[in-house]
Amino acid sequence: MIDQLIKKIKETQNPTVVGLDPRLDYIPEHIRQKAYDAYGKTLSGAAYAFLLFNKAIIDEIYDIVPAVKPQVAMYEQYGAAGMQAYIDTIAYSKEKGMVVIGDIKRSDIASTAESYSDGHIGRVLVEGNQFEVYKEDFITLNPYLGYDSIEPYMGNCEAYDKGLFVLVKTSNPNSGEIQDIMVGSEHLYEYMGGLVSKWGEAYMGQSGYSRIGAVVGATHSEQGKVLRQIMPKTYFLVPGYGAQGATAEDLAGCFNKDGLGAIVNSSRGIIAAYQKPAYQKDFDAQDFAKASRQAALDMKADLNRVL
């Protein structure tokens, strides 16, 4: 799967992943009204609004962006209807040929981790019948329970050609309270980077990168450079660009000299672009998806400027 992601990045010449993290206040009134006409102002109505919104954006970006990253919490809060919208969003993205990174940040051990793994990247058995439920290509994981919280996913990664992005240095302002603690002569994020790199050695793709990747926040540029040295064959999923304050220059150190090694996330900066003053002069709410396309193109140009 890591080879497929890199192939899509090369085809589009765009190391960008769009975070499909909808909120009702991002969704234009005409989309919300259509959903409410069908299901009322209910959980199902909100979930359908998310799906309509996502599909319109996917239709505009699938040919210029290699991947999408839906954040499960945005959907899960709406219960079963929200989770169906999550499943349907993934299915539609894959119909359009996009790679899907499920941002689920799970962390547990033993049979619980196996259940997460089977549901999200493996298969669920019912009386001998196999079912693929969520169908993500990659998922994000929290490793702070140790290797036994990661190992249960490895078999499904190999069996079904899936991948992982493991939290190493996150983009939130207070990540340093834990991740910057010194462990002997190195920071905890450096130690974790070494572990993730080691875990990925047995899962290398033909591209020379491992299917076990790392989440490395763009808001910590110097740490990104350090981790790039520690993890030369690990692909980085890089949040924090744009709305969280990181610039293209901040994240340039996450890439290798070949221009590969990282894929950069933007969520509301693209999906809610029509609400930003920079795009309002050319796009109104009816053209929200076209505004998203233009924002994605602008991000692509900005990133390629520093690579």
Side-chain angles (χ1 to χ4, degrees):
M1 181 49 63
I2 188 61
D3 294 335
Q4 293 185 44
L5 176 60
I6 292 171
K7 180 182 178 183
K8 290 291 294 185
I9 290 171
K10 288 180 176 180
E11 286 176 352
T12 57
Q13 296 184 317
N14 189 3
T16 295
V17 54
V18 173
L20 295 178
D21 305 348
R23 298 184 348 186
L24 286 175
D25 58 353
Y26 293 169
I27 299 177
E29 193 277 335
H30 71 280
I31 296 292
R32 283 184 280 128
Q33 191 57 54
K34 182 177 180 179
Y36 297 152
D37 286 346
Y39 293 100
K41 294 180 179 179
T42 64
L43 296 174
S44 294
Y48 188 49
F50 287 175
L51 181 60
L52 293 175
F53 180 72
N54 289 345
K55 289 175 75 172
I57 290 173
I58 291 164
D59 284 343
E60 287 290 340
I61 66 170
Y62 75 91
D63 61 326
I64 60 169
V65 173
V68 291
K69 183 178 70 66
Q71 164 51 254
V72 71
M74 300 301 181
Y75 305 85
E76 192 173 278
Q77 64 183 320
Y78 292 90
M83 290 307 294
Q84 189 60 55
Y86 179 78
I87 290 169
D88 291 344
T89 292
I90 291 170
Y92 193 73
S93 301
K94 292 173 75 71
E95 285 177 17
K96 291 292 186 176
M98 304 189 83
V99 173
V100 177
I101 302 170
D103 197 352
I104 67 172
K105 294 186 179 71
R106 297 297 193 250
S107 183
D108 219 309
I109 60 170
S111 60
T112 307
E114 291 172 4
S115 296
Y116 282 139
S117 179
D118 290 345
H120 284 277
I121 59 172
R123 302 291 187 273
V124 173
L125 288 175
V126 180
E127 303 296 343
N129 298 317
Q130 287 191 347
F131 298 92
E132 187 178 9
V133 183
Y134 295 104
K135 303 181 183 180
E136 299 103 323
D137 298 309
F138 292 83
I139 54 174
T140 58
L141 297 178
N142 185 332
Y144 284 90
L145 272 69
Y147 182 65
D148 47 355
S149 70
I150 304 298
E151 189 274 335
Y153 298 85
M154 299 301 198
N156 281 328
C157 281
E158 283 203 288
Y160 302 110
D161 190 21
K162 305 290 186 176
L164 309 173
F165 285 104
V166 181
L167 302 184
V168 172
K169 178 59 180 172
T170 57
S171 60
N172 56 301
N174 293 323
S175 66
E177 289 181 344
I178 295 174
Q179 296 165 18
D180 290 2
I181 290 173
M182 295 300 293
V183 180
S185 61
E186 60 186 351
H187 295 95
L188 180 57
Y189 71 83
E190 295 176 273
Y191 180 76
M192 183 58 67
L195 284 178
V196 173
S197 180
K198 179 181 177 182
W199 296 340
E201 288 175 357
Y203 302 97
M204 303 300 294
Q206 294 182 355
S207 59
Y209 288 95
S210 173
R211 68 170 73 242
I212 312 303
V215 177
V216 177
T219 50
H220 307 291
S221 59
E222 292 305 313
Q223 290 94 329
K225 293 176 184 176
V226 170
L227 287 168
R228 185 76 279 165
Q229 295 299 313
I230 293 171
M231 313 168 75
K233 296 302 181 182
T234 302
Y235 230 82
F236 289 2
L237 170 61
V238 183
Y241 173 87
Q244 291 188 50
T247 66
E249 285 79 7
D250 290 330
L251 56 84
C254 291
F255 289 82
N256 281 317
K257 292 181 179 179
D258 59 4
L260 297 172
I263 187 165
V264 183
N265 178 75
S266 178
S267 298
R268 62 185 179 273
I270 290 179
I271 67 174
Y274 80 98
Q275 296 179 338
K276 297 171 65 176
Y279 296 100
Q280 286 177 335
K281 59 182 172 48
D282 295 316
F283 304 99
D284 60 18
Q286 293 288 332
D287 293 326
F288 73 94
K290 293 186 183 300
S292 294
R293 180 182 179 87
Q294 186 58 54
L297 288 170
D298 292 344
M299 180 177 174
K300 171 184 176 179
D302 191 36
L303 294 180
N304 284 326
R305 176 177 58 81
V306 302
L307 295 183

